[in-house]
């Protein structure tokens, strides 16, 4: 666990800076003080399915990511940072609630699922509202909307506005699921009431062609699950009728989402804000804008990485033009590990070359092995973080309590119960992070304790072979698995049989965390700066 400082301000100045915030807390009004006059804005770039090795500064080959690399060069690059889960919905659930997805049985949701974060549940966004922040989410949601069986033609609620966001502009589920429309706040954008939307995950509705009936109409071939309604020449999961005028065009995503994010940031430049900039990229279907075509050597998957990098750069430029970049904390990360073939034949496997999306780790999206949740993660805050590399074990689960600590919000009983105040690790002030971390994956849990990785035996009747058919090693085994990551980063050598005592104690720790939470997790947040204007 070593923190290598690269350059810039001596880290010793940081306590001084935070003490300065704390003084303002005592004075009670950070808006009237001299610089720094307010807590930092928070921007989370939440990329979809981006693997540890998919970014230039993490060793990517065949694709360049200059904007993300700039964040890495000027900020804190983590080598052991984790999404809460190896799939999207539970990861996003955990990021926003500070609670493991398995506590609410969060799993990949269909596009007509009801909201799984119910109104009244405290979230990262509502906690920051308590601290005086304006809040927005732009991009992929995939946490469900409404109460199930959503009527897309009226007001869609509950949704982000009911759990702490002041503004939302959403891709409601995933790019490969209907409805293929944008939802702005509670309404489908551009919907003609004379052409209502109907969505079904049970059988065909309406007259739009499907991939299985009319494969000749497809721009990209798909597997059976992705062969329902065709929209924009691409078949999706689920059926959809109506809503012609409101249909999205996948190639426009980077511009549409950037435009909304930039406009919202401009509007809120004068107050602390939190923007969750949640990307469709680099999830399937991968249809980057034509201006990014051929910009990598890896076809659509690599070009989608170039596009994601452009989106990052566009918002950074805006923060700079507005003169607010210095006091903006940017967290760049991914919701789960990488996948090549996730249902569409876009040649991600064939064109991979020497590139290793999973970096030095084993597995990928869905998997219990490290690449399932160990994702590229960078914290950048010119006024508060020095350039460095950190090997601390950190989790997206902890962004909630760590931000609460930074802005001085005391968490209530029952709020963000799995989220630990790891602010020092997130800001590079401490080289050590979590002692324990549960990683969720399809069908099982793993536990990290220091460099030990324990994978709980799989107990369901059928091993999910479909994951391995995608070319991903799922890490499923009916026997315990124990890996010593200090000697075996690639999880090749299962030492469970040699360490039965350790296996027993890690298994009982998993059980304890599942049943009653992390040991010592209820440390009260220590205010670092004032929260109330
Ligand atoms: C899976 C889909 C996959 C992807 C994933 C969600 C099939 C066979 N596969 O069920 O294509 O959409 O769900 O990805 O349907 S995630 O990143 O949002 O978790
Ligand atoms: Ca994902």
């Amino acid at each position: 666990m070593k923190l290598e400082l690269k350059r810039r301000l001596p880290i010793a100045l940081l306590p001084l800076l935070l003490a300065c915030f704390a003084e303002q807390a005592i004075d009670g009004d950070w808006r009237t003080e001299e610089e720094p006059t307010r807590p930092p804005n928070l921007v989370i770039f939440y990329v979809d399915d981006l693997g540890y090795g998919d970014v230039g500064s993490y060793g990517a080959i065949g694709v360049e990511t200059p904007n993300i690399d700039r964040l890495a060069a000027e900020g804190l690059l983590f080598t052991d940072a984790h999404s809460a889960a190896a799939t999207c919905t539970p990861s996003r659930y955990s990021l926003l609630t500070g609670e493991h997805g398995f506590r609410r049985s969060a799993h990949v949701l269909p596009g007509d699922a009801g909201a799984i974060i119910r109104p009244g549940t405290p979230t990262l966004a509502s906690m920051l509202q308590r601290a005086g922040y304006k809040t927005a989410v732009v991009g992929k949601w995939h946490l469900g909307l409404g109460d199930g069986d959503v009527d897309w033609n009226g007001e869609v609620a509950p949704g982000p506005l009911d759990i702490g966001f002041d503004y939302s502009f959403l891709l409601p589920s995933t790019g490969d699921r209907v409805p293929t429309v944008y939802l702005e706040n509670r309404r489908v954008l551009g919907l003609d009431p004379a052409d209502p939307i109907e969505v079904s995950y049970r059988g065909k509705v309406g007259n739009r062609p499907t991939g299985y009936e009319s494969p000749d109409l497809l721009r990209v071939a798909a597997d059976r699950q992705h062969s329902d309604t065709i929209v924009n020449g691409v078949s999706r999961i689920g059926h959809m009728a109506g809503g012609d005028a409101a249909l999205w065009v996948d190639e426009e995503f980077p511009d549409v989402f950037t435009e909304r994010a930039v406009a919202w940031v401009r509007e809120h430049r004068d107050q602390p804000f939190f923007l969750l900039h949640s990307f469709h990229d680099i999830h399937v279907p991968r249809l980057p804008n034509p201006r990014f075509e051929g910009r990598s050597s890896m076809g659509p998957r690599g070009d989608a990485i170039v596009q994601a990098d452009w989106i990052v750069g566009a918002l950074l430029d805006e923060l700079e033009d507005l003169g607010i970049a210095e006091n903006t904390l940017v967290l760049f990360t991914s919701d789960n590990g990488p996948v090549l073939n996730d249902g569409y034949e876009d040649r991600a496997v064939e064109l991979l070359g020497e590139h290793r999306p999973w970096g030095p780790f084993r597995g990928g999206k869905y998997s219990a092995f490290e690449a399932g949740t160990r994702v590229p993660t960078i914290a950048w805050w010119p006024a508060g973080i020095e350039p460095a590399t950190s090997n601390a074990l950190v989790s997206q689960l902890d962004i909630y309590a760590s931000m609460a600590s930074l802005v001085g919000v005391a968490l209530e009983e029952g709020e963000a119960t799995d989220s630990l105040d790891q602010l020092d690790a997130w800001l590079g002030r401490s080289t050590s992070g979590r002692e324990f971390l549960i990683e969720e994956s399809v069908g099982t849990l793993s536990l990290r304790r220091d460099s030990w990785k324990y994978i709980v035996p799989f107990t369901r009747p059928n091993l999910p072979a479909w994951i391995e058919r995608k070319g991903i090693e799922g890490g499923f085994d009916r026997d315990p698995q124990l890996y010593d990551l200090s000697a075996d980063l690639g999880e090749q050598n299962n030492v469970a049989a040699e360490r039965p005592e350790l296996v027993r104690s890690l298994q009982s720790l998993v059980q304890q965390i599942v049943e009653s939470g992390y040991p010592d997790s209820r440390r009260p947040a220590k205010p670092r700066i004032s929260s109330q204007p």
Side-chain angles (χ1 to χ4, degrees):
M1 302 280 163
K2 203 164 112 267
L3 188 81
E4 301 148 24
L5 292 186
K6 289 184 208 149
R7 57 190 153 90
R8 288 180 68 188
L9 287 167
I11 205 153
L13 280 188
L14 264 169
L16 205 68
L17 184 73
L18 291 167
C20 165
F21 284 144
E23 239 164 62
Q24 289 166 25
I26 294 160
D27 291 350
D29 187 356
W30 37 261
R31 288 180 196 214
T32 58
E33 293 293 320
E34 298 203 340
E35 287 296 319
T37 55
R38 60 183 224 193
N41 307 311
L42 174 63
V43 173
I44 300 182
F45 290 118
Y46 210 48
V47 189
D48 201 343
D49 296 359
L50 188 74
Y52 188 92
D54 276 328
V55 170
S57 34
Y58 283 83
I61 297 168
V63 59
E64 288 179 7
T65 55
N67 294 297
I68 304 166
D69 297 346
R70 177 195 157 191
L71 292 177
E74 298 174 5
L76 187 61
L77 179 147
F78 290 93
T79 62
D80 201 359
H82 293 256
S83 58
T87 53
C88 168
T89 301
S91 274
R92 285 156 202 262
Y93 178 87
S94 297
L95 172 74
L96 287 181
T97 64
E99 187 184 85
H100 278 297
F102 62 76
R103 302 206 190 280
R104 290 288 175 277
S105 305
H107 48 76
V108 174
L109 293 174
D112 60 351
I116 59 165
I117 306 178
R118 303 304 298 174
T121 310
T123 65
L124 176 61
S126 68
M127 181 278 292
L128 288 171
Q129 280 181 332
R130 263 145 68 198
Y133 281 58
K134 287 290 171 193
T135 58
V137 51
V138 172
K140 175 171 169 176
W141 184 240
H142 208 191
L143 287 164
L145 288 158
D147 292 317
D149 215 2
V150 184
D151 176 4
W152 299 95
N153 304 293
E155 295 227 321
V156 177
L161 302 192
D162 305 286
I163 54 168
F165 287 99
D166 297 310
Y167 175 73
S168 66
F169 185 90
L170 304 181
L171 183 166
S173 175
T174 61
D176 56 354
R177 284 177 175 76
V178 297
T180 48
V181 293
Y182 301 112
L183 188 77
E184 185 169 34
N185 295 322
R186 300 193 196 282
R187 292 264 173 196
V188 169
L189 188 74
L191 180 65
D192 174 1
D195 180 25
I197 291 174
E198 193 183 344
V199 163
S200 165
Y201 277 77
R202 287 174 294 275
K204 187 168 176 181
V205 290
N207 298 322
R208 276 202 187 97
T210 60
Y212 49 83
E213 291 163 339
S214 312
D216 47 306
L217 297 179
L218 296 176
R219 292 194 287 151
V220 48
D223 65 14
R224 179 63 185 80
Q225 281 86 352
H226 293 79
S227 287
D228 297 334
T229 300
I230 300 177
V231 176
N232 191 27
V234 179
S235 51
R236 318 277 166 162
I237 307 175
H239 297 272
M240 175 177 166
D244 252 328
L247 296 178
W248 72 44
V249 176
D250 308 67
E251 290 84 344
E252 293 174 357
F253 284 161
D255 298 314
V256 170
F257 292 127
T258 297
E259 197 182 296
R260 300 289 160 157
V262 160
W264 187 83
V265 161
R266 250 182 225 159
E267 199 185 325
H268 296 89
R269 61 204 282 178
D270 293 327
Q271 56 212 120
F273 63 78
F274 163 41
L275 170 67
L276 175 56
H277 201 344
S278 174
F279 293 23
H280 157 72
D281 293 312
I282 60 168
H283 198 279
V284 296
R286 303 179 184 115
L287 298 161
N289 188 280
R291 69 182 185 272
F292 300 107
E293 257 171 48
R295 293 274 304 275
S296 76
S297 63
M298 288 184 277
R301 187 174 184 278
D303 298 347
I305 296 175
V306 177
Q307 174 165 292
D309 183 73
W310 177 86
I311 301 172
V312 168
L315 196 85
L316 287 182
D317 286 350
E318 184 64 25
L319 294 172
E320 262 163 5
D321 290 351
L322 294 172
I324 56 174
E326 184 72 9
N327 198 28
T328 297
L329 169 58
V330 170
L331 300 177
F332 172 92
T333 189
S334 171
D335 69 339
N336 52 248
V339 57
L340 296 175
N341 180 354
D342 210 8
Y344 295 94
E345 288 176 25
D346 61 8
R347 306 188 68 215
V349 176
E350 296 82 346
L351 297 175
L352 192 62
E354 298 296 301
H355 180 70
R356 294 179 62 77
W358 40 83
F361 308 107
R362 192 172 176 185
K365 180 175 179 176
Y366 310 109
S367 169
F369 290 128
E370 280 293 278
T373 62
R374 205 189 280 217
V375 286
T377 302
I378 300 161
W380 178 92
W381 176 17
I385 289 178
E386 291 185 55
T389 298
S390 170
N391 300 328
L393 175 62
V394 295
S395 166
Q396 291 168 15
L397 270 170
D398 299 335
I399 292 173
Y400 193 132
S402 304
M403 278 307 293
S405 172
L406 179 63
V407 303
V409 169
L411 298 184
E412 286 167 12
E413 203 48 47
E415 178 175 4
T417 50
D418 294 311
S419 189
L420 308 185
D421 175 1
Q422 289 286 331
L423 183 64
D424 289 342
W426 278 101
L427 298 186
R429 297 178 63 208
S430 163
T431 55
S432 60
R434 273 180 168 251
E435 198 181 346
F436 316 113
L437 176 65
I438 297 258
E439 300 172 9
E440 274 193 73
S441 53
V442 172
T444 192
L445 299 175
S446 309
L447 177 72
R448 281 286 309 279
R449 197 185 87 187
D450 304 320
S451 53
W452 290 111
K453 165 81 175 272
Y454 168 66
I455 305 177
V456 175
F458 197 86
T459 53
R460 291 187 191 171
N462 300 314
L463 292 177
W466 58 273
I467 291 178
E468 276 160 31
R469 277 201 301 273
K470 286 175 189 276
I472 298 170
E473 293 177 293
F476 313 117
D477 206 315
R478 298 200 184 280
D479 293 321
Q481 294 175 77
L482 179 69
Y483 299 97
D484 175 5
L485 300 182
S486 66
D488 178 22
L489 211 50
E491 293 167 280
Q492 297 291 336
N493 185 19
N494 181 5
V495 297
E498 295 147 41
R499 307 291 298 259
E501 279 300 310
L502 183 58
V503 166
R504 259 193 298 279
S505 86
L506 294 176
Q507 174 61 37
S508 88
L509 190 54
V510 171
Q511 236 148 328
Q512 187 196 328
I513 296 168
V514 168
E515 282 160 19
S516 23
Y518 288 98
D520 284 339
S521 63
R522 293 293 63 201
R523 282 175 291 154
K526 302 180 288 297
R528 310 289 176 111
I529 57 176
S530 168
S531 63
Q532 298 308 321

